[in-house]
Amino acid sequence: MSAPYITGFSETPAEITLESLPIQGSFPQWLVGTLIRNGPGTFHAGSQSYRHWFDGLAMLHKFSFARGKVSYANKYLETKSYQSARETGKITYSEFATDPCRSLFARGMAFFFPKITDSAKVNVARIADHYMALAETPIQVEFDIDTLKTVGVFNYEERIVGQMTTVHPQFDFSTGDVYNVVTRYHALSHYNIYRIHPSGSTQRIGSVPVMNPAYLHSFGMSHKYIILAEFPLVVNPIHLLLWLKPYIENFRWEPARGTPFTVVNRHTGEIAGRFECDSFFAFHHVNAFEKGGELVIDLVGYDDASIIQSYYLNRLSDEHNELPAGTLRRYRLPLNQKRGRVRSEVLSDAFMELPRFDYERLNMDSSYRYVYASSINPDQRSGFYNQVVKIDVTNGRQQTWHQAGCYPGEPVFVGRPGRSAEDDGVILSVILDSIKGNSFLLALDAHTFTEIGRAEVPHPILFGYHGEFFPPHPTMHSEGS
Ligand code: CO
């Protein structure tokens, strides 16, 4: 039995370029720029199949907006792993949860970190004036935003030390600096915190030693601090040295460790505190800020890490599969102490993932109010994400958009230039319409959360992860000042 949304986990039929998509309703005249979405373009290499939602070969999708029109193009990221899969018809690079078939001889010859995928499919960002596709390895693959052509792996001047990174760099728009955390696996491992200057030079600003590193998909940042929530999904680095199993399967859930929060001063690199918390897991931090002597951290949390098992494709292809519920949670750390316990509360019990907010204006700002996310309707609990939700973090109130047979991707907020209200803008989400068999780009009014327009793509777009809206001339763009 296969689920109605299974085309979202198959293979993109073609690379196409369309000057203008058919539109129902309308897209605002003020919406000018480009939405880039990243994610898998296929879950197959020849006759072989990848095993997990986080595997597959990267494909970029581009929606450009001008004068109420929407254009579209899609293209594979042309990396070594992509070329090798095309030439050999086989999976030849290790992915998140899929390893190539290896002979015993090759297995014996493998050493620390074998051929890891360079198919950077998880996120996109504009860093140091370049458009980058981001992966969980510290490589960044540059692409041309106009043609979607792959430029190549971007080389920073200074070497980044470590093998795995979060795919959610944090931006400080007041300085133009970008921050990320890179894990270096070793006998004594470290979480290395890097700052990338707008010039492209990189600097390691801090390092947190750890015996059994946690799987970190993102981290928190406030005006003063970098926050690492060390979920007890941990790895003994010797298991990565041996590499007998795909990357993520070397990690074990050890809830007795709890989920300690390590706080690092991002200006001095010093460890400012370490706080105890009961075990939980998260992929995505949302926002963090300092307020009233506390460090406040919002994220989409789970009671355990079973969501990773739920994303294996054999589980997702069963429409009766129930994904574990991620909920929007708030954690408060007492800043006047170096140690202590974290207080936590659930801000909304809506089931959600892929959270977004008005990051450009309100990252690190305690006045932020709205979070947008992909969500699961409680009346249609099994299957995949089937609605878009907006949460008011001040009172838990929620607004939703859903349509029968439709499966929304990450909702990206784009603010109307000159706005004063936080939710004056649009939400853009790629939706798989399982009844019609193709995808469309949905535009919601972010305030009323009602549909204002949709632009129809002639083929299905596979379920991706993250994307970003880029205005046409970011260097000249002074909005938000
Ligand atoms: Co992510």
Side-chain angles (χ1 to χ4, degrees), residues 88-116:
T88 64
K90 288 179 180 162
I91 296 165
T92 53
Y93 284 71
S94 291
E95 292 278 343
F96 182 81
T98 303
D99 268 348
C101 295
R102 284 181 293 174
S103 67
L104 277 176
F105 174 74
R107 202 176 270 266
M109 295 292 285
F111 56 95
F112 210 35
F113 283 82
K115 279 165 63 176
I116 306 276

Side-chain angles (χ1 to χ4, degrees), residues 136-178:
E136 294 200 293
T137 55
I139 61 146
Q140 299 184 343
V141 180
E142 187 181 358
F143 63 92
D144 182 317
I145 194 171
D146 295 320
T147 63
L148 292 187
K149 280 190 179 146
T150 304
V151 175
V153 172
F154 187 81
N155 293 305
Y156 290 99
E157 278 171 31
E158 296 85 353
R159 203 164 70 90
I160 305 270
V161 178
Q163 296 95 347
M164 286 286 166
T165 183
T166 89
V167 286
H168 294 278
Q170 291 270 8
F171 293 75
D172 183 338
F173 295 113
S174 67
T175 59
D177 291 334
V178 182

Side-chain angles (χ1 to χ4, degrees), residues 66-300:
R67 300 175 302 282
K69 293 195 161 172
V70 183
S71 67
Y72 170 79
N74 66 318
K75 207 166 186 33
Y76 281 103
L77 200 63
E78 299 205 358
T79 57
K80 286 181 193 162
S81 32
Y82 171 76
Q83 276 151 6
S84 176
R86 283 290 133 115
E87 281 161 21
T88 64
K90 288 179 180 162
I91 296 165
T92 53
Y93 284 71
S94 291
E95 292 278 343
F96 182 81
T98 303
D99 268 348
C101 295
R102 284 181 293 174
S103 67
L104 277 176
F105 174 74
R107 202 176 270 266
M109 295 292 285
F111 56 95
F112 210 35
F113 283 82
K115 279 165 63 176
I116 306 276
T117 186
D118 58 350
S119 195
K121 66 185 156 294
V122 191
N123 201 354
V124 290
R126 190 167 189 276
I127 298 174
D129 269 348
H130 299 268
Y131 294 95
M132 309 282 201
L134 308 182
E136 294 200 293
T137 55
I139 61 146
Q140 299 184 343
V141 180
E142 187 181 358
F143 63 92
D144 182 317
I145 194 171
D146 295 320
T147 63
L148 292 187
K149 280 190 179 146
T150 304
V151 175
V153 172
F154 187 81
N155 293 305
Y156 290 99
E157 278 171 31
E158 296 85 353
R159 203 164 70 90
I160 305 270
V161 178
Q163 296 95 347
M164 286 286 166
T165 183
T166 89
V167 286
H168 294 278
Q170 291 270 8
F171 293 75
D172 183 338
F173 295 113
S174 67
T175 59
D177 291 334
V178 182
Y179 294 78
N180 209 344
V181 177
V182 181
T183 303
R184 182 192 185 212
Y185 297 108
H186 208 260
L188 176 63
S189 301
H190 284 84
Y191 303 122
N192 289 331
I193 300 165
Y194 279 89
R195 177 192 293 138
I196 304 169
H197 290 270
S199 68
S201 71
T202 59
Q203 181 190 6
R204 188 171 66 178
I205 57 167
S207 194
V208 177
V210 55
M211 287 306 294
N212 293 93
Y215 171 69
L216 297 183
H217 183 86
S218 66
F219 62 97
M221 186 169 88
S222 69
H223 283 296
K224 197 169 174 189
Y225 302 106
I226 297 285
I227 305 118
L228 305 177
E230 295 182 57
F231 315 113
L233 182 66
V234 295
V235 68
N236 179 343
I238 193 81
H239 293 142
L240 292 177
L241 179 68
L242 298 170
W243 204 281
L244 298 173
K245 292 187 279 195
Y247 172 67
I248 197 61
E249 294 178 5
N250 294 289
F251 287 73
R252 286 204 310 245
W253 179 247
E254 297 182 0
R257 294 170 177 271
T259 296
F261 285 75
T262 299
V263 177
V264 177
N265 183 316
R266 71 175 167 101
H267 306 291
T268 65
E270 287 170 293
I271 296 177
R274 196 170 154 88
F275 301 87
E276 301 301 319
C277 185
D278 292 340
S279 66
F280 73 96
F281 177 74
F283 292 114
H284 296 116
H285 281 257
V286 181
N287 204 352
F289 49 84
E290 297 138 40
K291 192 181 182 189
E294 290 181 318
L295 182 54
V296 180
I297 298 139
D298 291 351
L299 49 75
V300 174

Side-chain angles (χ1 to χ4, degrees), residues 340-358:
R341 272 203 77 79
V342 175
R343 291 195 295 135
S344 70
E345 64 188 295
V346 174
L347 295 178
S348 162
D349 56 9
F351 305 141
M352 64 163 75
E353 206 18 287
L354 303 169
R356 299 291 296 240
F357 66 104
D358 186 356

